[in-house]
Amino acid sequence: MQCDYFDAGRCRSCTLMGTPYRDQAADKAMRAAASLAEVAPHLRWLEPFTGAEQAFRNKAKLVVAGRAGAPTFGILDAAGRGVDLRRCGLYEPGLAATFDPLHRFVSDLGLEPYDVPGRRGELKHVIVTHSPDGEHLVRFVVRTHESVELLRAALPDLTAALPSARVVTANVLPEHKAVLEGDTEVVLTREALLPLRLPDVTLMLGPRSFLQTNTRVAVALYAQARAWVEDRSPATVWDLYCGVGGFALHLARPGRRVVGVETSAEAVAAATAGAIASGTGSPEVEFAVGDATTHRPDGPGPDLVVVNPPRRGIGPELAAWLEVSSASHLVYSSCHLGSLERDLTALPSWRAVEARPFDMFPQTTHLETAVLLERT
């Protein structure tokens, strides 16, 4: 992949830029195998799954800087000044096509971009998610409710400029701190959820729900988990850290009880809507709000557990429960090899039997790794 921003030294986010993509994927696979070699010496590694090396991201988190009427969409440099990255080659074409209309809308609206060094301004981020159908969820992160009302009044102009904007929200982040979003989310459109129609299920995405950033690789990840699960035919599956239900909905089958647990009530509502949209909405598929490390659904214990934790991993409390649980198989999807290695060490009653790397983040060192474990 060739990138003018990288060559000019304007953006160095892609730390592997310039390394042939085949070498990137091979190096990641070797690093994954080396990381788990001691804790899982008999682990069988499947062929790494790779997608496109560019034009793969389905979500853009754009820092807004510059000045009113002439904003930049991209990142900040070391001095806190805006670097416009609207021609970045990482984004799916349908996502990249939204940047110029949104830039014109923000410019015409006259919202003052937030100035980090000066600690003043209104508009901090524009966050856009692209669905396989070409629809979009657009979020504006602003500092005051006055800006929310300005955006509400200008919504007809936005939908005229970007008809694909199915969901538009304003997030209020009044504090001067380096975070992406605040606690208050105001939905400005009639629709509050963006449908993500994948080959086998439809996920419903809310404004703050987690989504794998690479749709093609995510579909392959779900398919791998389903293949492992179908070979073992569990009657009851628990999907811990279920998010909007990506794994749970792919594993749902008549006669199989699938329960998803997620701390975000918004994500659980989206997962429930996804079950209905996917045709799996029944008492056999349910989602519950709770801390995945401690919440245990009512009813029979699981035959198989799926965990897809954040970077910190599942931690000692959940690992201790898995040690004594009724489950005979575990599917662990990890975005961090260090926490994965630590968690596998904390599961002495389990044996990792098969694993597969998924290159969700080309041009970076980040890697998603799926592991199948069985009770010893």
Side-chain angles (χ1 to χ4, degrees):
M1 175 181 173
Q2 191 277 330
C3 175
D4 291 341
Y5 298 120
F6 186 88
D7 292 345
R10 299 184 66 199
C11 176
R12 294 289 178 172
S13 300
C14 293
T15 55
L16 298 183
M17 187 68 68
T19 302
Y21 184 51
R22 181 179 298 179
D23 294 343
Q24 290 184 30
D27 289 346
K28 290 182 187 182
M30 288 190 294
R31 181 162 52 88
S35 176
L36 302 185
E38 184 173 345
V39 66
H42 304 296
L43 184 59
R44 175 174 175 261
W45 286 91
L46 303 179
E47 188 74 17
F49 186 90
T50 59
E53 65 174 295
Q54 58 188 355
F56 62 86
R57 291 191 68 98
N58 55 31
K59 186 173 184 177
K61 302 175 183 178
L62 304 169
V63 179
V64 182
R67 56 183 175 81
T72 61
F73 280 14
I75 61 173
L76 299 178
D77 64 15
R81 297 182 297 263
V83 178
D84 196 276
L85 298 179
R86 279 178 287 153
R87 300 297 175 262
C88 174
L90 296 183
Y91 300 109
E92 293 179 342
L95 177 57
T98 70
F99 297 164
D100 283 350
L102 287 169
H103 186 267
R104 287 192 294 270
F105 170 76
V106 169
S107 299
D108 292 344
L109 193 60
L111 269 178
E112 183 184 5
Y114 185 68
D115 175 16
V116 172
R119 296 165 66 89
R120 66 177 183 272
E122 276 295 313
L123 181 58
K124 303 189 86 169
H125 303 100
V126 174
I127 306 169
V128 192
T129 303
H130 174 69
S131 82
D133 291 335
E135 295 181 315
H136 297 97
L137 188 162
V138 181
R139 302 175 67 205
F140 298 93
V141 181
V142 296
R143 292 194 58 236
T144 65
H145 286 278
E146 287 77 12
S147 292
V148 174
E149 295 310 312
L150 182 61
L151 287 165
R152 191 193 303 277
L155 184 62
D157 295 333
L158 174 58
T159 54
L162 191 66
S164 59
R166 180 171 180 140
V167 182
V168 180
T169 74
N171 179 276
V172 182
L173 174 59
E175 295 90 350
H176 298 283
K177 57 183 180 181
V179 295
L180 181 66
E181 61 189 24
D183 296 330
T184 301
E185 192 86 25
V186 181
V187 179
L188 303 177
T189 47
R190 181 174 59 86
E191 301 284 348
L193 297 174
L194 177 70
L196 300 170
R197 296 182 179 89
L198 305 181
D200 297 313
V201 306
T202 296
L203 304 182
M204 302 296 288
L205 186 72
R208 290 189 281 194
S209 301
F210 170 76
L211 172 69
Q212 296 284 6
T213 192
N214 189 322
T215 302
R216 179 183 175 187
V217 179
V219 168
L221 174 64
Y222 296 140
Q224 181 62 67
R226 182 172 55 190
W228 281 336
V229 172
E230 290 308 306
D231 283 347
R232 284 140 189 94
S233 301
T236 302
V237 173
W238 287 6
D239 178 8
L240 307 181
Y241 310 96
C242 70
V244 297
F247 285 102
L249 296 181
H250 280 87
L251 303 181
R253 292 289 182 273
R256 175 182 296 160
R257 183 173 185 246
V258 178
V259 184
V261 177
E262 171 60 49
T263 187
S264 165
E266 178 186 296
V268 166
T272 303
I276 296 171
S278 301
T280 57
S282 75
E284 294 178 308
V285 180
E286 60 185 276
F287 297 93
V289 178
D291 184 342
T293 62
T294 57
H295 181 81
R296 306 293 171 248
D298 296 332
D303 303 309
L304 184 146
V305 175
V306 178
V307 293
N308 182 27
R311 287 176 59 85
R312 66 178 181 271
I314 64 173
E317 188 168 7
L318 181 52
W321 175 81
L322 286 167
E323 281 291 286
V324 299
S325 73
S326 60
S328 59
H329 291 88
L330 171 67
V331 175
Y332 191 136
S333 181
S334 169
C335 63
H336 190 269
L337 287 170
S339 60
L340 174 60
E341 179 184 3
R342 184 178 62 248
D343 288 339
L344 295 188
T345 302
L347 295 169
S349 297
W350 294 84
R351 178 176 60 212
V353 294
E354 204 162 69
R356 190 175 191 185
F358 291 83
D359 193 11
M360 200 76 69
F361 318 99
Q363 312 305 331
T364 76
T365 59
H366 300 298
L367 180 68
E368 191 82 15
T369 306
V371 183
L372 172 67
L373 298 96
E374 62 183 14
R375 181 82 66 177
T376 57

